[in-house]
Amino acid sequence: MDTDFLTTAYIDARARLHRFATRMLRDDEDAADALQDAYLRLRCRGDISSDSEARFRLAAVLRNLCVDRLRKRRETRLEMERFDDGGYEMPDTDAAEMSRPLRSGLTSLQKRIISLVADEGMEYSEIARQLGMTVEAVRMNASRARARIRENYKKLNR
């Protein structure tokens, strides 16, 4: 029977890693998403050969994801400061056209949630309030949408 080092390390260190991510991001939901993304990235690679390697890689990938999220927040804040008139800048049509194949197969609700999260940078609690859903339902739909986008991306790059 094969030992799944990654899953074992994830289960053992989940609470500690979640606290670490929460301290970095200062947002519990964002920390949970980052932890899930870190696990999924390593799961897709599948080249972990020991328990210590799994623990190290989980921590390293989680740290990098947290830093990326913090940078994205800062860039979004700076971008919003540039548009002091409060207006909305239309997205680049080429970028919108390019993302269409990646978002195919999503339900209309998933497309809306992904658009609000990725394009507008809204928090799950804001989206839940706006759509009349629970935060958990929004998070699950976003997770499923990201998984579908990932599948579509892999299909396009084969």
PDB file of all heavy atoms in Angstrom, residues 96-108:
ATOM      1  N   ALA A  96     -10.713  39.497 -22.075  1.00  0.00           N
ATOM      2  CA  ALA A  96     -12.033  38.898 -21.877  1.00  0.00           C
ATOM      3  C   ALA A  96     -12.273  37.780 -22.889  1.00  0.00           C
ATOM      4  O   ALA A  96     -12.815  36.727 -22.552  1.00  0.00           O
ATOM      5  CB  ALA A  96     -13.117  39.963 -21.977  1.00  0.00           C
ATOM      6  N   GLU A  97     -11.866  38.016 -24.124  1.00  0.00           N
ATOM      7  CA  GLU A  97     -12.025  37.002 -25.163  1.00  0.00           C
ATOM      8  C   GLU A  97     -11.177  35.765 -24.874  1.00  0.00           C
ATOM      9  O   GLU A  97     -11.586  34.639 -25.116  1.00  0.00           O
ATOM     10  CB  GLU A  97     -11.654  37.575 -26.535  1.00  0.00           C
ATOM     11  CG  GLU A  97     -12.644  38.557 -27.079  1.00  0.00           C
ATOM     12  CD  GLU A  97     -14.000  37.936 -27.360  1.00  0.00           C
ATOM     13  OE1 GLU A  97     -14.058  36.803 -27.856  1.00  0.00           O
ATOM     14  OE2 GLU A  97     -15.007  38.588 -27.044  1.00  0.00           O
ATOM     15  N   MET A  98      -9.975  35.998 -24.350  1.00  0.00           N
ATOM     16  CA  MET A  98      -9.083  34.868 -24.083  1.00  0.00           C
ATOM     17  C   MET A  98      -9.581  34.016 -22.921  1.00  0.00           C
ATOM     18  O   MET A  98      -9.343  32.813 -22.893  1.00  0.00           O
ATOM     19  CB  MET A  98      -7.675  35.384 -23.785  1.00  0.00           C
ATOM     20  CG  MET A  98      -6.986  35.970 -25.003  1.00  0.00           C
ATOM     21  SD  MET A  98      -5.415  36.727 -24.628  1.00  0.00           S
ATOM     22  CE  MET A  98      -4.522  35.400 -23.874  1.00  0.00           C
ATOM     23  N   SER A  99     -10.260  34.609 -21.959  1.00  0.00           N
ATOM     24  CA  SER A  99     -10.714  33.843 -20.807  1.00  0.00           C
ATOM     25  C   SER A  99     -12.001  33.074 -21.084  1.00  0.00           C
ATOM     26  O   SER A  99     -12.368  32.196 -20.315  1.00  0.00           O
ATOM     27  CB  SER A  99     -10.911  34.758 -19.594  1.00  0.00           C
ATOM     28  OG  SER A  99     -12.034  35.588 -19.782  1.00  0.00           O
ATOM     29  N   ARG A 100     -12.679  33.381 -22.170  1.00  0.00           N
ATOM     30  CA  ARG A 100     -13.947  32.714 -22.473  1.00  0.00           C
ATOM     31  C   ARG A 100     -13.812  31.195 -22.568  1.00  0.00           C
ATOM     32  O   ARG A 100     -14.598  30.474 -21.971  1.00  0.00           O
ATOM     33  CB  ARG A 100     -14.550  33.288 -23.745  1.00  0.00           C
ATOM     34  CG  ARG A 100     -15.934  32.717 -24.024  1.00  0.00           C
ATOM     35  CD  ARG A 100     -16.645  33.428 -25.144  1.00  0.00           C
ATOM     36  NE  ARG A 100     -16.987  34.759 -24.672  1.00  0.00           N
ATOM     37  CZ  ARG A 100     -17.013  35.833 -25.444  1.00  0.00           C
ATOM     38  NH1 ARG A 100     -16.718  35.733 -26.703  1.00  0.00           N
ATOM     39  NH2 ARG A 100     -17.337  37.005 -24.961  1.00  0.00           N
ATOM     40  N   PRO A 101     -12.820  30.629 -23.280  1.00  0.00           N
ATOM     41  CA  PRO A 101     -12.713  29.169 -23.328  1.00  0.00           C
ATOM     42  C   PRO A 101     -12.413  28.553 -21.966  1.00  0.00           C
ATOM     43  O   PRO A 101     -12.833  27.437 -21.679  1.00  0.00           O
ATOM     44  CB  PRO A 101     -11.551  28.909 -24.282  1.00  0.00           C
ATOM     45  CG  PRO A 101     -11.268  30.184 -24.966  1.00  0.00           C
ATOM     46  CD  PRO A 101     -11.845  31.266 -24.148  1.00  0.00           C
ATOM     47  N   LEU A 102     -11.706  29.275 -21.122  1.00  0.00           N
ATOM     48  CA  LEU A 102     -11.389  28.746 -19.799  1.00  0.00           C
ATOM     49  C   LEU A 102     -12.629  28.668 -18.926  1.00  0.00           C
ATOM     50  O   LEU A 102     -12.742  27.783 -18.087  1.00  0.00           O
ATOM     51  CB  LEU A 102     -10.331  29.611 -19.102  1.00  0.00           C
ATOM     52  CG  LEU A 102      -8.955  29.613 -19.734  1.00  0.00           C
ATOM     53  CD1 LEU A 102      -8.041  30.573 -18.994  1.00  0.00           C
ATOM     54  CD2 LEU A 102      -8.370  28.212 -19.731  1.00  0.00           C
ATOM     55  N   ARG A 103     -13.566  29.578 -19.120  1.00  0.00           N
ATOM     56  CA  ARG A 103     -14.760  29.620 -18.284  1.00  0.00           C
ATOM     57  C   ARG A 103     -15.921  28.826 -18.875  1.00  0.00           C
ATOM     58  O   ARG A 103     -17.013  28.841 -18.307  1.00  0.00           O
ATOM     59  CB  ARG A 103     -15.173  31.075 -18.044  1.00  0.00           C
ATOM     60  CG  ARG A 103     -14.143  31.814 -17.211  1.00  0.00           C
ATOM     61  CD  ARG A 103     -14.552  33.208 -16.879  1.00  0.00           C
ATOM     62  NE  ARG A 103     -13.482  33.854 -16.125  1.00  0.00           N
ATOM     63  CZ  ARG A 103     -13.616  34.972 -15.469  1.00  0.00           C
ATOM     64  NH1 ARG A 103     -14.769  35.593 -15.455  1.00  0.00           N
ATOM     65  NH2 ARG A 103     -12.600  35.494 -14.824  1.00  0.00           N
ATOM     66  N   SER A 104     -15.701  28.143 -19.983  1.00  0.00           N
ATOM     67  CA  SER A 104     -16.772  27.342 -20.559  1.00  0.00           C
ATOM     68  C   SER A 104     -17.058  26.152 -19.641  1.00  0.00           C
ATOM     69  O   SER A 104     -16.169  25.605 -19.004  1.00  0.00           O
ATOM     70  CB  SER A 104     -16.399  26.856 -21.959  1.00  0.00           C
ATOM     71  OG  SER A 104     -15.348  25.921 -21.880  1.00  0.00           O
ATOM     72  N   GLY A 105     -18.305  25.790 -19.559  1.00  0.00           N
ATOM     73  CA  GLY A 105     -18.700  24.680 -18.705  1.00  0.00           C
ATOM     74  C   GLY A 105     -19.060  25.104 -17.292  1.00  0.00           C
ATOM     75  O   GLY A 105     -19.499  24.289 -16.488  1.00  0.00           O
ATOM     76  N   LEU A 106     -18.891  26.378 -16.967  1.00  0.00           N
ATOM     77  CA  LEU A 106     -19.290  26.874 -15.650  1.00  0.00           C
ATOM     78  C   LEU A 106     -20.769  27.228 -15.667  1.00  0.00           C
ATOM     79  O   LEU A 106     -21.295  27.672 -16.689  1.00  0.00           O
ATOM     80  CB  LEU A 106     -18.497  28.123 -15.276  1.00  0.00           C
ATOM     81  CG  LEU A 106     -16.988  28.011 -15.135  1.00  0.00           C
ATOM     82  CD1 LEU A 106     -16.402  29.364 -14.769  1.00  0.00           C
ATOM     83  CD2 LEU A 106     -16.612  26.984 -14.110  1.00  0.00           C
ATOM     84  N   THR A 107     -21.429  27.056 -14.531  1.00  0.00           N
ATOM     85  CA  THR A 107     -22.806  27.511 -14.424  1.00  0.00           C
ATOM     86  C   THR A 107     -22.801  29.035 -14.390  1.00  0.00           C
ATOM     87  O   THR A 107     -21.773  29.661 -14.127  1.00  0.00           O
ATOM     88  CB  THR A 107     -23.471  26.974 -13.149  1.00  0.00           C
ATOM     89  OG1 THR A 107     -22.813  27.542 -12.006  1.00  0.00           O
ATOM     90  CG2 THR A 107     -23.407  25.443 -13.087  1.00  0.00           C
ATOM     91  N   SER A 108     -23.946  29.629 -14.629  1.00  0.00           N
ATOM     92  CA  SER A 108     -24.012  31.094 -14.614  1.00  0.00           C
ATOM     93  C   SER A 108     -23.668  31.639 -13.227  1.00  0.00           C
ATOM     94  O   SER A 108     -23.030  32.696 -13.114  1.00  0.00           O
ATOM     95  CB  SER A 108     -25.392  31.571 -15.056  1.00  0.00           C
ATOM     96  OG  SER A 108     -26.393  31.070 -14.185  1.00  0.00           O
TER      97      SER A 108
END
